[in-house]
Amino acid sequence: MSGATGAGSAASGANGARGPAADSQGVTVTDTRGPMPPHETYGGEQPAPQQAAQPYHPPQAYPTPQGGGAPQPGAAVRRPRTGARTTPRTRKARLRVAKADPWSVMKVSFLLSIALGICTVIASAVLWMVMDAMGVFSTVGGTISEATGSNESNGFDLQSFLSLPRVLIFTSVIAVIDVVLATALATLGAFIYNLSAGFVGGVELTLAEDE
């Protein structure tokens, strides 16, 4: 009886499956389930079946019509537009000037007033030279001298009164006064604008940009 049990164990170890075994009463029991798979024998997990590699198909914006790729008679076919006129788009932005900085307004107005004063002095000098070259002062001065003169005096001398140094000095004084007044008025205008913008919201501007 023990020899049969040993033979059954040896057969089970040689075949990798369960062989016949003997119970306690000496009856031989045969396992008819056959050999077990390795993953079930040792408690391993069953591997997932491998899938065959398939070719990559990119997504399409429009589905391909069935029937060999030929369009159906009643189906609409999308065709590219040729010769279409493209109108340039214009981007617009609506902005509002809510506040003007008085300090920046004063600096800008001061520089602009100085530039305007220099241009005024240069323009006056050029104009005087042109009029003197044309003989305007001599002609007008002689007429005024004859009209205002007498036997005892020669009359009013316009050429000496309207000499170039006097003209430049007078123009420079006017330019300096203009700089001071323009700077002060611009700064005061900035304060007044800020006060009014607090009530009405300020000046609205619409800016456009062509693409």
Side-chain angles (χ1 to χ4, degrees):
M1 185 179 299
S2 61
T5 304
S9 300
S12 175
N15 296 331
R18 295 181 180 178
D23 57 0
S24 59
Q25 299 181 1
V27 180
T28 302
V29 180
T30 305
D31 190 359
T32 59
R33 291 181 297 179
M36 302 297 293
H39 62 274
E40 294 183 2
T41 304
Y42 298 98
E45 297 181 356
Q46 185 177 359
Q50 298 182 357
Q51 297 181 357
Q54 297 181 359
Y56 173 74
H57 297 283
Q60 298 181 0
Y62 301 96
T64 304
Q66 300 181 0
Q72 299 179 1
V77 180
R78 183 180 178 88
R79 298 180 179 179
R81 299 174 59 186
T82 57
R85 299 178 59 184
T86 59
T87 304
R89 293 170 38 186
T90 302
R91 295 188 300 177
K92 294 183 179 180
R94 192 172 184 179
L95 304 177
R96 186 180 66 214
V97 183
K99 183 180 180 181
D101 188 13
W103 175 249
S104 62
V105 172
M106 186 184 69
K107 291 187 295 184
V108 173
S109 61
F110 178 72
L111 293 178
L112 291 178
S113 301
I114 289 178
L116 181 61
I118 294 174
C119 293
T120 303
V121 173
I122 294 176
S124 300
V126 172
L127 181 62
W128 189 92
M129 292 178 183
V130 171
M131 294 179 67
D132 185 54
M134 294 175 61
V136 176
F137 294 113
S138 60
T139 303
V140 176
T143 304
I144 293 176
S145 298
E146 292 177 359
T148 58
S150 61
N151 296 328
E152 298 179 357
S153 61
N154 295 328
F156 181 75
D157 191 2
L158 183 64
Q159 292 184 352
S160 61
F161 180 77
L162 295 179
S163 60
L164 183 59
R166 282 188 177 182
V167 172
L168 292 180
I169 292 174
F170 181 75
T171 308
S172 299
V173 172
I174 296 298
V176 170
I177 296 174
D178 182 39
V179 168
V180 175
L181 290 180
T183 304
L185 290 177
T187 306
L188 181 61
F191 281 105
I192 295 175
Y193 176 80
N194 292 336
L195 292 177
S196 61
F199 294 99
V200 299
V203 178
E204 293 185 357
L205 303 177
T206 301
L207 306 180
E209 179 183 1
D210 296 335
E211 293 185 355

